[in-house]
Structures are given as structure tokens and as C-alpha cells.
């Protein structure tokens, strides 16, 4: 999760990027508080040569990166379903939720980014729903503590995203990629916070992950090392403002879908008429 202070119009973050004083920037997600603000930022940066890398650290997780490599190599065949899960062991504070942007913008964006990146396809439609069974402040701020979303991608793959603030066993972040020839998964290690009910099962053997740094410390390190290469001009940004803006559109469509209890096309939230 990002800190609430990062959820602000991205244009304010990058005001200096139009001139030579601009500096290479690693920006925490989300890049803006709405898809429209992200798109406006992207237009402002179109002529900038200053590199910007958005901090979606799961792209640098060894297991997730291996899954992406398998997909890109064609090992899985036609991708049918991608499942991404973020289950927090306990909720953040009411103050955090008040300025977080909501479940889809704050938590689900990590999953939306990774399923889009893994498939290499753009989302065309979403259906999302959510519920509340925990602290009253989620409902008071118009948020949910548990959510699910189905994303239809342009190439036919389906993304299934599951989030909750109440996963008592621990911090559970997984990725499953299913194809016509093979299936792979990331996050199924000894720290996977689940208890098998199969007789004689001993996996997972270790203590469950309880915090995102338990699960992603090496990924964060790899992300920063990559940014140093980007800043030095040795490689292009692997996660751009354009990538982050697409993820924000998915989050916005999910929020609308959950509110109106219907499928939402991505073109609906992109529409300037609807945004006015």
C-alpha cells in the first residue's frame, strides 16, 4: 500500500518536468487520484525526456517476473485466466482509509497492474463488487473491506482479482496464470498464509507472511536497483506513467461497477462527457 499523501493529482508531482531542471523520478503508486488526472499528466509529459518510473514493486518479484517470462516465451500457450490476490491481515487506520482513494485505487491497483502486465493485453470491461463486515469506518467513507473484480481483456483473457483488509492468517499476495498448455503461480512459498486441510500435507511449512516487507523486501530492492539504471540512462523505465494511467482507469471502472452493480466498459470512464 502507498501512503495516503501519495494519492494526489500527479501533475503537482511533476511540475518541474517541462524544463532541464527535471530529475529522474521514482513515484509511488498511484500516479494520480483519477484516470483523468493521470491522462492529463501524461499529456504534460509527452515531450519530456526526464525518465519516470512508477513504483509497482510486484513486477520485480522473482516469482512474478518468472511467470511473465514464461508467458512471453509462449510456454503457457493461450492465456485463459490470470488470478491476482491481495489479502491484508488487518485493516489500516480510519485516517488512512479517509484519504486512501478506496479499495480499488489503493489496494486493487497492484493487482490490476500485474494482470495487465502479465497478459500484455488492455482491459476492455470490468465487473466489480464489494462488501463490509468489519469496521464501520469503511462504510462511513464509502469504501469496502472486501472486494472482487473480473476483468475482460482485449485478447480474451480474464483477470480475477480478490482483495480484503481482513485475512487473519497473514499477508497473502499470489499470482496464478493459466494457459492452454501450462499454468504457473507466484507467491506459493513456505510463507504462504494458508492452512491446508489435506491429510498429511506439510506445505506451507514456514511462519505466514504478516507484512508486505516480509513478502516483497527483495522486490523493493530490485525495483530501486532498476531505477538507478533508469536514472543513469542505461535502460528505459519499465513501468511508465502511461502504464500507471491505464491501471488507474481500471480502478475507476471497478469503483463505478461496484457502485452501480453492473459491468462497466473502460471506454465509459474514459469518456470526457461522463467526466464532466
Amino acid at each position: 500500500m502507498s501512503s495516503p499523501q501519495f494519492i494526489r493529482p500527479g501533475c503537482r508531482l511533476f511540475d518541474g518536468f517541462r524544463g532541464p531542471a527535471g530529475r529522474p523520478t521514482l513515484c509511488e503508486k498511484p500516479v494520480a487520484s483519477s484516470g483523468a488526472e493521470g491522462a492529463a499528466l501524461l499529456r504534460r509529459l509527452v515531450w519530456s525526456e526526464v525518465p519516470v518510473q512508477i513504483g509497482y514493486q510486484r513486477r520485480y518479484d522473482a516469482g512474478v517476473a518468472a511467470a511473465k517470462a514464461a508467458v512471453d516465451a509462449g510456454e503457457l500457450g493461450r492465456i485463459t485466466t490470470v488470478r491476482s490476490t491481495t489479502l491484508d491481515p488487518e485493516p489500516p487506520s480510519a485516517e488512512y482509509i479517509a484519504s486512501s482513494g478506496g479499495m480499488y485505487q489503493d489496494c486493487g491497483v497492484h493487482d490490476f497492474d500485474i494482470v495487465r502486465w502479465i497478459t500484455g493485453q488492455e482491459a476492455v470491461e470490468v465487473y466489480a463488487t464489494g462488501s463490509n463486515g468489519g469496521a464501520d469506518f469503511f462504510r462511513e467513507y464509502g469504501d469496502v473491506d472486501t472486494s472482487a473484480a473480473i476483468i475482460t481483456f482485449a485478447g480474451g483473457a480474464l483477470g480475477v482479482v480478490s482483495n480484503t483488509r481482513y485475512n487473519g492468517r497473514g499477508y497473502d499476495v499470489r499470482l496464478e496464470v493459466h494457459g492452454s498448455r501450462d499454468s504457473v503461480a507466484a507467491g506459493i512459498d513456505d510463507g504462504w498464509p494458508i492452512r491446508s486441510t489435506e491429510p498429511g500435507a506439510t506445505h506451507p511449512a514456514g511462519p505466514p507472511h504478516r507484512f508486505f516487507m516480509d513478502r516483497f523486501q527483495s522486490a523493493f530492492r530490485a525495483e530501486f536497483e532498476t531505477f538507478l539504471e533508469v536514472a543513469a540512462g542505461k535502460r528505459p523505465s519499465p513501468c511508465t506513467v502511461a502504464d500507471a494511467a491505464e491501471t488507474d482507469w481500471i480502478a475507476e471502472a471497478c469503483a463505478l461497477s461496484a457502485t452501480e452493480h453492473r459491468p462497466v466498459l473502460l471506454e465509459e470512464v474514459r469518456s470526457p462527457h461522463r467526466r464532466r
Side-chain angles (χ1 to χ4, degrees):
M1 294 183 293
S2 71
S3 179
Q5 65 261 29
F6 287 112
I7 300 174
R8 68 188 77 170
C11 292
R12 292 209 297 268
L13 291 174
F14 301 117
D15 271 342
F17 272 51
R18 289 172 295 174
R23 295 183 177 88
T25 298
L26 176 60
C27 176
E28 180 59 69
K29 68 83 188 168
V31 72
S33 60
S34 71
E37 289 174 347
L41 171 62
L42 189 58
R43 289 192 296 271
R44 293 183 62 177
L45 295 181
V46 69
W47 301 113
S48 174
E49 296 182 356
V50 179
V52 181
Q53 180 177 321
I54 307 301
Y56 281 110
Q57 88 283 352
R58 295 184 194 184
R59 295 184 179 213
Y60 309 91
D61 176 75
V64 173
K68 172 65 170 172
V71 170
D72 290 349
E75 296 173 12
L76 277 61
R78 178 178 61 87
I79 302 305
T80 59
T81 308
V82 182
R83 302 176 187 273
S84 186
T85 299
T86 303
L87 310 179
D88 291 331
E90 57 190 21
S93 67
E95 291 75 19
Y96 181 96
I97 294 300
S99 59
S100 70
M103 175 69 87
Y104 305 104
Q105 183 77 2
D106 170 58
C107 181
V109 284
H110 282 290
D111 302 282
F112 304 148
D113 174 73
I114 214 62
V115 296
R116 175 180 176 267
W117 183 62
I118 286 287
T119 62
Q121 301 174 25
E122 298 298 347
V124 295
E125 184 180 69
V126 306
Y127 181 78
T129 187
S131 65
N132 280 305
D136 289 339
F137 60 73
F138 287 102
R139 189 176 294 103
E140 291 169 2
Y141 290 118
D143 200 2
V144 296
D145 63 45
T146 302
S147 67
I150 298 175
I151 305 168
T152 301
F153 288 97
L158 296 179
V160 180
V161 170
S162 179
N163 303 127
T164 189
R165 304 292 195 181
Y166 290 95
N167 192 56
R169 192 164 181 85
Y171 180 71
D172 188 352
V173 175
R174 281 172 287 124
L175 174 73
E176 301 174 18
V177 190
H178 302 272
S180 58
R181 292 208 299 261
D182 199 4
S183 297
V184 295
I188 311 298
D189 59 7
D190 279 335
W192 181 22
I194 201 163
R195 179 170 59 88
S196 175
T197 58
E198 290 297 323
T202 58
H203 179 76
H209 297 302
R210 294 296 305 177
F211 186 54
F212 70 90
M213 285 303 292
D214 297 340
R215 174 70 175 82
F216 287 117
Q217 184 175 17
S218 60
F220 279 113
R221 182 179 295 111
E223 177 184 63
F224 283 118
E225 290 172 350
T226 298
F227 176 65
L228 292 177
E229 295 181 358
V230 171
K234 296 180 179 179
R235 60 174 296 176
S237 171
C239 189
T240 65
V241 172
D243 289 324
E246 288 300 322
T247 299
D248 288 345
W249 286 126
I250 297 173
E252 194 165 320
C254 285
L256 179 62
S257 175
T259 298
E260 299 190 354
H261 305 287
R262 65 177 180 87
V264 171
L265 294 170
L266 267 291
E267 286 306 310
E268 291 185 56
V269 294
R270 294 179 192 273
S271 167
H273 174 75
R274 185 192 169 275
R275 294 200 300 269
R276 284 198 291 268

